Amino acid sequence: MLNMLSAPGAGKTLLLETALPRLAKEFTVAVLEGDVQTRYDAERLRRRGIDAVQINTGGACHLDAAAVQT
């Protein structure tokens, strides 16, 4: 598991779009994508063939255990 945090627009999703298809050749990969209100990043990853689940945080700037429990 890898937890990525940084400012909006820093390139997290681009890094995942680039690295995960390569890693998927050897490993099982999937993403829990946290966002304040959109689904864009998870949709971008799915277009690359990566399993991604979008969790909208409703204003929080991060995912916590309660958000990913369901």
Side-chain angles (χ1 to χ4, degrees), residues 2-50:
L2 173 69
N3 185 13
M4 292 179 56
L5 301 172
S6 69
K12 298 176 296 293
T13 303
L14 180 60
L15 176 63
L16 293 172
E17 283 179 307
T18 303
L20 292 182
R22 295 176 186 175
L23 289 171
K25 293 175 183 174
E26 284 190 55
F27 303 99
T28 301
V29 298
V31 174
L32 289 177
E33 178 66 47
D35 193 285
V36 175
Q37 65 183 12
T38 70
R39 299 180 307 216
Y40 300 135
D41 291 340
E43 290 170 357
R44 282 174 57 182
L45 295 171
R46 285 188 207 113
R47 284 193 296 269
R48 295 283 185 140
I50 302 300

